[in-house]
């Protein structure tokens, strides 16, 4: 009997691991168990699908189970792993045929993140939706198509909340966004994010900050009232989006070690403390490249990269070899679209730098996206966080109408290489008038910081 790999979770990390295992050691039998009805889909595309910019949910599927089967990977949908027994090297599975036991020689836990469910009354109302997976996105799109809600309340001002606000506003829904924090996207202070707030409010968003939801009440048999400490808000649709956390309960019950972040503790090769067990994706904690601390980093690229690293190291172990692949960490780099604006960040925010013990200096600058004389340019707002003593870059945030995504990647690269603002200032970045001024916004703000530190 050949060696067998069981992968728990069929999304980004799990399918990346499974695919890499098949490439690196085709002799291994690979079984993927996914509790939901879909595997290997672009979760980040769901807001655009709900907005109607993507016509069909099928377009978000990378590959279907039969396509994976052709590659030698068995995928079983709607099969939920209820228990992991590391000592016996088995998993207990609940599927269409009832409860079954599956053996493994190697196990990959890729259970992802789970949406934080608040303890409000009224969550059972039919107007309340959570965006956990593609099936939820399909249900929400169907609700908007069929019911044509006039008013929606989104609770949460993080990435999902902001992207869903844009999606629903594009569908003609009046949106109220409620947040306990004054910050947008978790780390953008109001004074720096004012341009984003203006973009949303000009499109019809009502933003209520520093607000605590108390409960949900049914309204006329259809719709809800969101009751808060700042009043009541009627809604035909309610979307709680207050955050996610590692889905690590299965590992915890199996006695597999968790880290301080609540995610599964892994080495840089994505190995857990249980023999033959690897973990990857949102369920596992990873190292932050700036602080060196273990963090929860629920980002698509982190999931895909860590899954591939787990698969490569597992396959090497099965062959009695040593893989040089390791997960170098995360800077928390993200970018999103807010109507005509692009918002991006990498590394530490000012508050995060302070909490991590850095003596941080903050620099802000407005630059042009193109040469001043070249038509069509616009303003880019940049904020960087720098260690006063070492002059090392700690983080960056950018807001603009063009040219943001590529520039935040320069800052992210600098973070991974522990560069100072002087190092960045001396970089030779590409220049042509349609793409930027001679002194690119990245160079411009680092020059400012270098002079003022």
């Amino acid at each position: 009997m050949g060696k067998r790999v069981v992968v728990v979770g069929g999304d980004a990390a799990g399918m990346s691991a499974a695919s890499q295992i098949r490439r690196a050691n085709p002799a291994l039998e690979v079984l993927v168990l996914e509790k939901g009805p879909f595997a290997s889909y672009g979760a980040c595309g769901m807001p655009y699908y709900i907005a109607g910019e993507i016509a069909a949910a099928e377009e978000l599927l990378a590959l279907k189970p039969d396509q994976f089967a052709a590659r030698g990977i068995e995928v079983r949908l709607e099969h939920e792993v209820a228990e992991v027994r590391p000592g016996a090297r088995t998993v207990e599975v609940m599927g269409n045929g009832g409860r079954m036991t599956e053996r493994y020689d190697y196990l990959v836990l890729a259970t992802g993140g789970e949406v934080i469910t608040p303890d409000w009354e009224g969550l059972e109302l039919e107007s309340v939706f959570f965006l956990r997976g593609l099936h939820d996105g399909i249900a929400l799109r169907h609700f908007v198509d069929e019911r044509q809600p006039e008013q929606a309340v989104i609770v949460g001002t993080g990435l999902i909340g902001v992207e869903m606000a844009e999606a629903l506003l594009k569908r003609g829904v009046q949106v109220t966004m409620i947040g306990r924090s004054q910050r947008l996207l978790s780390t953008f202070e109001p004074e720096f994010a004012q341009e984003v707030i203006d973009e949303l409010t000009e499109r019809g968003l009502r933003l209520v900050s520093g607000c605590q939801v108390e409960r949900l009440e049914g309204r006329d048999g259809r719709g809800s009232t969101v009751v808060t400490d700042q009043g009541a808000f009627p809604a035909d649709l309610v979307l709680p989006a207050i955050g996610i956390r590692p889905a690590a309960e299965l590992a915890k019950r199996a006695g597999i070690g968790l880290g301080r972040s609540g995610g599964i503790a892994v080495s840089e090769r994505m190995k857990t403390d249980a023999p033959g067990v690897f973990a990857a994706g949102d369920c596992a904690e990873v190292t932050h490249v700036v602080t060196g601390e273990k963090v929860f980093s629920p980002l698509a690229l982190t999931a895909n990269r860590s899954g591939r690293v787990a698969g490569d190291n597992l396959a090497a172990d099965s062959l009695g070899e040593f893989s040089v692949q390791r997960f170098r960490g995360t800077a928390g780099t993200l970018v999103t679209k807010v109507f005509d604006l692009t918002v991006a960040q990498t590394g530490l925010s000012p508050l995060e730098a302070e909490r991590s013990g850095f003596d941080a200096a903050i620099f802000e600058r407005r630059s042009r996206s193109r040469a001043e004389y070249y038509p069509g340019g616009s303003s880019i707002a940049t904020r960087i966080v720098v260690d006063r003593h070492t002059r090392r870059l700690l983080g960056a945030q950018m807001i603009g109408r063009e040219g943001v995504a590529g520039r935040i990647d320069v800052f992210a690269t600098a973070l991974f290489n522990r560069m100072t603002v002087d190092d960045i200032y001396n970089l030779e970045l590409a220049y042509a008038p349609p793409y930027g001024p001679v002194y690119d916004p990245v160079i411009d703000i680092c020059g400012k910081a270098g002079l003022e530190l």
Side-chain angles (χ1 to χ4, degrees):
M1 185 179 295
K3 290 185 178 180
R4 191 182 204 214
V5 179
V6 171
V7 179
V8 184
D11 203 357
M15 298 315 300
S16 290
S19 298
Q20 184 63 18
I21 290 164
R22 288 298 299 166
R23 281 191 290 266
N25 185 359
L28 289 172
E29 178 188 351
V30 182
L31 169 64
V32 178
L33 300 170
E34 166 55 45
K35 69 178 181 179
F38 299 100
S40 190
Y41 60 89
C44 298
M46 285 196 291
Y48 310 109
Y49 162 67
I50 294 164
E53 296 176 56
I54 296 171
E58 289 72 23
E59 294 181 41
L60 297 178
L61 297 176
L63 291 173
K64 296 178 181 178
D66 59 337
Q67 293 173 302
F68 278 108
R71 300 182 179 197
I73 300 170
E74 181 183 358
V75 178
R76 296 183 195 168
L77 301 177
E78 298 182 296
H79 280 68
E80 182 172 5
V81 175
E83 185 179 357
V84 174
R85 296 174 178 169
R89 296 210 177 194
T90 61
V91 294
E92 295 296 310
V93 188
M94 296 298 296
N96 299 330
R99 192 178 184 96
M100 63 198 81
T101 300
E102 297 287 349
R103 71 167 188 87
Y104 68 83
D105 295 286
Y106 293 95
L107 181 70
V108 179
L109 295 174
T111 45
E114 60 184 12
V115 172
I116 296 174
T117 304
D119 58 358
W120 311 327
E121 295 177 16
L123 291 178
E124 74 285 351
L125 294 168
E126 68 169 350
S127 57
V128 180
F129 289 84
F130 289 89
L131 206 55
R132 304 181 185 91
L134 184 54
H135 60 291
D136 294 311
I138 293 171
L140 182 50
R141 164 78 176 261
H142 180 75
F143 183 88
V144 175
D145 289 345
E146 296 297 318
R147 297 289 188 89
Q148 297 184 348
E150 295 180 359
Q151 301 178 94
V153 171
I154 297 174
V155 185
T157 58
L159 183 63
I160 294 299
V162 170
E163 291 182 339
M164 283 305 302
E166 177 184 351
L168 293 174
L169 287 167
K170 284 186 173 180
R171 297 297 303 270
V173 183
Q174 298 175 16
V175 179
T176 299
M177 178 181 284
I178 296 174
R180 286 191 301 178
S181 169
Q182 300 290 336
R183 294 180 177 84
L184 200 65
L185 296 170
S186 304
T187 57
F188 283 74
E189 286 87 353
E191 62 273 13
F192 184 69
Q194 190 59 51
E195 188 176 1
V196 184
I197 296 169
D198 291 344
E199 185 82 4
L200 287 166
T201 54
E202 286 171 7
R203 308 281 183 151
L205 178 78
R206 180 184 182 187
L207 179 61
V208 184
S209 301
C211 184
Q212 178 72 48
V213 174
E214 296 175 350
R215 64 185 182 278
L216 308 180
E217 295 179 351
R219 178 170 52 87
D220 301 327
R222 178 175 175 176
S224 315
T225 298
V226 181
V227 180
T228 77
D229 59 358
Q230 293 188 28
F233 302 88
D236 304 309
L237 186 161
V238 179
L239 179 69
I242 62 175
I244 64 173
R245 61 191 168 207
E249 183 61 29
L250 187 66
K252 182 179 179 181
R253 293 201 308 268
I256 296 170
L258 306 186
R260 291 178 58 186
S261 71
I264 301 170
V266 292
S267 70
E268 61 183 5
R269 303 184 192 282
M270 309 312 295
K271 295 187 72 171
T272 73
D273 60 3
V277 181
F278 295 73
D282 294 354
C283 65
E285 66 176 19
V286 291
T287 302
H288 198 288
V289 296
V290 178
T291 65
E293 298 173 353
K294 296 293 185 178
V295 296
F296 172 52
S297 182
L299 297 171
L301 184 57
T302 299
N304 280 280
R305 286 173 55 222
S306 62
R308 178 169 289 200
V309 170
D312 197 84
N313 281 284
L314 186 157
D317 189 87
S318 71
L319 292 167
E321 300 174 355
F322 180 79
S323 170
V324 298
Q325 298 299 321
R326 59 190 180 91
F327 188 79
R328 285 193 58 193
T330 179
T333 308
L334 64 85
V335 63
T336 192
K337 183 177 77 68
V338 183
F339 289 102
D340 294 333
L341 285 176
T342 301
V343 185
Q345 69 176 30
T346 188
L348 303 181
S349 69
L351 182 60
E352 289 169 337
E354 179 184 333
R355 288 175 175 170
S356 296
F358 289 100
D359 183 9
I362 317 301
F363 298 93
E364 292 185 13
R365 190 83 158 174
R366 278 201 172 270
S367 309
R368 297 293 295 174
S369 64
R370 307 182 187 187
E372 187 73 35
Y373 55 82
Y374 193 90
S378 58
S379 173
I380 295 179
T382 306
R383 168 188 276 185
I384 61 172
V385 186
V386 183
D387 184 87
R388 293 181 189 276
H389 302 292
T390 64
R391 303 170 73 90
R392 174 188 168 198
L393 180 74
L394 302 177
Q397 298 177 336
M398 302 188 80
I399 300 170
R401 297 187 182 275
E402 66 171 10
V404 168
R407 290 180 168 106
I408 203 70
D409 286 342
V410 176
F411 285 124
T413 302
L415 292 176
F416 269 81
N417 289 280
R418 303 178 68 86
M419 294 173 71
T420 67
V421 289
D422 310 293
D423 295 329
I424 302 168
Y425 178 75
N426 286 308
L427 289 174
E428 183 180 40
L429 302 183
Y431 161 69
Y435 304 108
V438 173
Y439 284 94
D440 188 88
V442 171
I443 303 297
D444 187 31
I445 194 168
C446 288
K448 172 184 170 71
L451 290 172
E452 296 183 10
L453 276 171

